[in-house]
Every structure is written in C-alpha cells, then in structure tokens.
Amino acid sequence: AEASVVANAVLHHAMCHPEESLGVIALNQPQADAITRELEKLCRKHPELDTYFERHTAEPFFVKNLESAQGIERDRIYISVGYARDKDGKLSLNFGPLNQRKGANRLNVLATRAKKYCEIFSSLEPDEPEFQRSNSRAISLLNELLARARDGASAQELGERSLYPDPLRDL
C-alpha cells in the first residue's frame, strides 16, 4: 500500500513541481521494486508523465534502495520506509540494511540526499514500543528521523549532523 502512495506522490510532484528533480529511496529492494511497478502502472494511465522524466537529464528521476542511493542528490527526495506491522499487528525489528554493520551510517547519508525538500512515507510512527526495546543505533536514528519528520523538520534539519552525535560508532 505504501508503494502506491509513493507512486501517486511522484505523479503529484511531476504535475505540481515539474521544474524540480526528484528521487525515491526505499529502505529495501523489495519496496523499491514495488514502487517501480506502481509507477509503471501510473505511467500507462498518464503518458504525460514521460515529459517530466525526459526533462531532467542532468539529474534524472530514480527509484533506488538504500545501498544504491549513496551520494546521489536531488531537489526533492521521497523516502519510503516500507516496513510495517504484519497482519497480526506484530512489528519485526528486522530492517534489513539498517540492522547490518554501518546501518546507522547508511541512514545518516539517506537523510542528507535532499537539496530542498524531503518527505518520508511510513506506516510506522515514531516511538513505536518495539523501537524503544531495541538497542540498535540505526533503529534509534530511524525513530528520531520519523519524529523529526512528523514534527515538520525541514530537509536541512532532517539531515543535520547533530542528529548523529557519533557517526563513526558503527565502523
């Protein structure tokens, strides 16, 4: 469901902000693939989207997973968390690349990809009880990133290094 919401946000961006470049970063590859499939469906219904995608040759539109988006900036970045509670309401704290070595560093880089605007799409809320039980630095940073986004932090504030007091901790 989140992939469909993100794809519709891309359509809205293309119609309302065609002068600005855009990239979508999903926290995992299956979510990036789901967003791409949803966008393909929308493009078949809205061929005028092709004009937007063709316009930005210097900074082309992309949908990438967390690992492959390192170092890429765009005017606007949409971040799709893609993790959610299961049908029984349980939340696994298996956040793929975030749980791996340097996961906090990956999240740190993610929060700095937007030059002007960053929007986070997530069915998870900050301060989920499961977040509080985790001692993972990356999960803690994800929680803080969600809280700052919920509270209306600017793209610059979301990417401030002060959010990450010890960026070398996971090395």
Side-chain angles (χ1 to χ4, degrees), residues 45-106:
K45 293 178 186 174
H46 299 276
E48 66 275 14
L49 278 175
D50 292 340
T51 314
Y52 173 78
F53 296 127
E54 292 165 0
R55 173 181 292 172
H56 294 282
T57 55
E59 291 187 335
F61 171 79
F62 68 82
V63 177
K64 293 184 179 278
N65 69 5
L66 181 61
E67 289 88 8
S68 60
Q70 304 299 309
I72 301 173
E73 292 183 337
R74 294 295 183 265
D75 293 326
R76 291 176 177 241
I77 292 289
Y78 292 161
I79 299 170
S80 178
V81 173
Y83 295 101
R85 293 185 176 282
D86 66 16
K87 62 183 175 160
D88 298 322
K90 293 182 180 168
L91 177 62
S92 166
L93 291 182
N94 181 5
F95 288 97
L98 293 184
N99 291 106
Q100 297 172 3
R101 188 172 178 265
K102 298 185 182 182
N105 291 5
R106 287 185 175 111

Side-chain angles (χ1 to χ4, degrees), residues 2-158:
E2 186 177 306
S4 178
V5 171
V6 173
N8 279 290
V10 170
L11 173 64
H12 182 266
H13 170 85
M15 295 173 148
C16 297
H17 306 284
E19 71 287 352
E20 293 183 343
S21 62
L22 175 66
V24 176
I25 303 172
L27 294 189
N28 60 63
Q29 190 59 52
Q31 183 68 2
D33 294 342
I35 293 167
T36 299
R37 283 191 302 275
E38 291 296 322
L39 276 170
E40 288 169 353
K41 288 180 199 174
L42 280 177
C43 285
R44 285 192 293 274
K45 293 178 186 174
H46 299 276
E48 66 275 14
L49 278 175
D50 292 340
T51 314
Y52 173 78
F53 296 127
E54 292 165 0
R55 173 181 292 172
H56 294 282
T57 55
E59 291 187 335
F61 171 79
F62 68 82
V63 177
K64 293 184 179 278
N65 69 5
L66 181 61
E67 289 88 8
S68 60
Q70 304 299 309
I72 301 173
E73 292 183 337
R74 294 295 183 265
D75 293 326
R76 291 176 177 241
I77 292 289
Y78 292 161
I79 299 170
S80 178
V81 173
Y83 295 101
R85 293 185 176 282
D86 66 16
K87 62 183 175 160
D88 298 322
K90 293 182 180 168
L91 177 62
S92 166
L93 291 182
N94 181 5
F95 288 97
L98 293 184
N99 291 106
Q100 297 172 3
R101 188 172 178 265
K102 298 185 182 182
N105 291 5
R106 287 185 175 111
L107 191 58
N108 183 14
V109 171
L110 174 67
T112 63
R113 301 298 85 205
K115 292 188 253 181
K116 295 181 180 178
Y117 179 84
C118 180
E119 188 165 345
I120 299 174
F121 296 82
S122 177
S123 64
L124 301 176
E125 293 288 332
D127 303 321
E128 296 278 359
E130 292 85 353
F131 287 173
Q132 306 313 310
R133 289 195 298 269
S134 173
N135 53 358
S136 162
R137 179 74 177 131
I139 301 301
S140 174
L141 291 176
L142 176 61
N143 181 55
E144 191 165 348
L145 187 65
L146 290 172
R148 290 183 128 195
R150 175 200 61 204
D151 297 341
S154 69
Q156 181 180 0
E157 290 168 330
L158 284 173

